[in-house]
Amino acid sequence: MILLSFALLFMGFAGLSLAMKRHYPQLQPIMEKNSQQRSKQVIIAIRLLAYSCLLTGLFFCINSQGISIGFVFWLGLLTLAALLQAMLLSYRPRWVFGFGLMLLGCTLFSVI
Amino acid sequence: MSWLHTWGGLSVGWLLYFMFITGTAGYFVSEIDYWMQPEMPHLNESAEHGQLLLLAEQHLSRKAPTAKSWRIYLPSERERTLKVRWQDGDGRHKDILHPVSGDVVNVRDTGGGGQLYGMHYRLHYMPRTVAFIITSLCGMFMLIALITGIVIHKKIFIDFFTFRPGKKQRSWLDMHNILSVLPLPFHLMITYSGLIFLMFTTMPAVFIASYGVEEEGQQRFRSELRSTPIPIKATGNRMSLTSLPELLEKAEGSWGQGNVSRVSIEHPGDSQARITLQKRRVDQVSDEQKLIYHGVSGQLLSAVDEVGTSASKSFYALMIRLHIGEFAGTVLRWLYFLSGLMGAGMIATGMVLWANKRRTKADKSGHASKGLILAEHLNVGTITGLPIAIAAYFLANRLIPLGLENRAEWEVNILFITWASMLVYPAFISKFKQVLAAIWVQQLTLASMLYLMLPVINMITTNKHLGVSLLTADWVRAGFDVSMLIIGLCFGVAAFKMQLKKQSAKSQGTAKGAQQTVPTMLAKDVSP
């Protein structure tokens, strides 16, 4: 559950940075080349999706750890996920989504 | 605001760094204790808790029949031994018992993780009250620095993930922001709750106003605060204690198997003896439950259930428990540790930023102030000097002869002697600012060597080294040794990268290159 929630938080942060002016060009090569200009709606949609990822992460934390520890856990995981996201964006921006997918894959694997 | 952030942070920054590093080590206090007591057997099993209580009682009544109080700590997931403490006319004593046979485990005299972690609020070489006031003051400065930091950081969300390496001052500021903003909930919580922890020392007037200054009122206050009944007086009539396993059974009936963490007995053997059973707190962040029995008749005197009794007390308890993180399992414990390290990093980058900014100006004007030089020396002597001192503390644990008097105290002395020499050393060497970079490299190298040496020295001096711990699945000891190797490698990489930068700066040959200061070089090396 913790791994799943971590994967969700990481993907959430990846989504948030994708919706940011500064980081979009860094992540862009793996997106469609001709989507230079993104419409406002797309950005809002990405943001909503990202925030719902973060909240779903909170849900899974609380679900597995109880409300008090779950919340503390969520904050701790948020810190780790954001740190990883920041370091990847600085040094290996292209790995961001690969890493996120890998995390989700690991989660699926551990569930099975 | 900016002024307040800069100078408020700077004035106590080195002490705060010390508090963050030693406090963070405290999240692994039991694990460090275990490593620092290599005589402690690696245990997978323990006898039934009722049986353990009997063993502990036998031991205590043999060793301290007339003690004022006994405390028996039952084994848990993290602390697998049976611990007994007692208090008599000579003070407090402690024994560690084997959780199957009940025999005393003779461990070396060491301060262990508890000493290291305790230093983050009670410092050392000074009375507690003084230390509490100093650390509280630091905490207040920290809180001010955090809040002003939030206010002056105009682009928290835009800069959220931003780290631009290789851009000198810019990179340091980015890193400072990342280390501050990402674990911000932790930073605020730990600083605020730290202040709450010591509030009865720093703001005694508040409770004195209601409870008075007399000892009786103080006692009543402490008793209400800790949910402990007011201490009783012994009558002097000797009577034998009721059966502890029976009480345990009663308590476990309502709390569940294995959920009693501690049994305390006041005035054991007296006709007015009192027995308190405390519930293990692992399932919730905030809750405290106790059952108090009469020590002779075994009658239930009162049941303390802190849940929802008083809002202010619940809040106080919540803050304390969030601060200590006792409830955290392995993963959450590492997350706490990470946030703590990031806090130390936040302080370190802040100090380097301060010095770096002034160094750039000083290089232009050709005149460096005494304050700047002092700050640069304190930076290198603390940021790398303190980790070196902690490595020395661990080494001292293995190398000081076992029979030495005040051995535990000498371990701490060695920590502070090492730190002091790291602080003083640059003052003797660096007559020129160009040498400062070399001192950083030297100290980083020294730190790396010491941490890498730890598992080796452990191998030479004990039989609980990696070769054994890995084979016998003694994960805590193995984890400690491996962590030391990783820390050593990190310092090694930092030293190596800084050496490269130093050389490239030299080979450029320009005055500018030669004068390039440490922080700008380090900036590129914060991460690979």
Side-chain angles (χ1 to χ4, degrees), chain B residues 246-359:
Chain B
E246 261 173 44
L247 294 186
L248 182 81
E249 208 172 300
K250 275 192 217 166
E252 284 190 335
S254 51
W255 291 340
Q257 200 72 29
N259 274 342
V260 175
S261 65
R262 191 176 88 189
V263 178
S264 343
I265 301 125
E266 292 162 84
H267 301 298
D270 194 270
S271 60
Q272 280 303 314
R274 200 163 56 183
I275 304 173
T276 307
L277 280 78
Q278 184 156 338
K279 190 181 176 188
R280 199 180 294 288
R281 323 179 290 223
V282 279
D283 47 347
Q284 272 183 45
V285 177
S286 169
D287 107 283
E288 167 126 86
Q289 282 165 274
K290 285 176 190 163
L291 289 171
I292 302 169
Y293 294 96
H294 192 279
V296 176
S297 66
Q299 203 179 13
L300 183 67
L301 296 176
S302 68
V304 178
D305 188 347
E306 241 188 25
V307 184
T309 45
S310 139
S312 55
K313 222 164 92 175
S314 302
F315 182 71
Y316 176 76
L318 173 75
M319 281 296 129
I320 299 280
R321 272 163 223 161
L322 275 175
H323 191 100
I324 304 178
E326 197 184 64
F327 56 85
T330 313
V331 180
L332 189 50
R333 198 161 286 280
W334 278 103
L335 290 174
Y336 256 105
F337 185 76
L338 174 78
S339 294
L341 277 192
M342 288 172 84
M346 161 182 74
I347 297 161
T349 48
M351 310 303 278
V352 170
L353 262 174
W354 185 91
N356 192 12
K357 205 170 182 179
R358 275 146 197 87
R359 172 54 72 187

Side-chain angles (χ1 to χ4, degrees), chain B residues 43 45-47 51-52 55 80 82 97-103:
Chain B
L43 303 160
E45 45 169 9
S46 81
Q51 177 67 22
L52 288 178
L55 289 172
R80 290 166 184 271
L82 177 64
L97 306 181
H98 193 282
V100 177
S101 63
D103 298 333

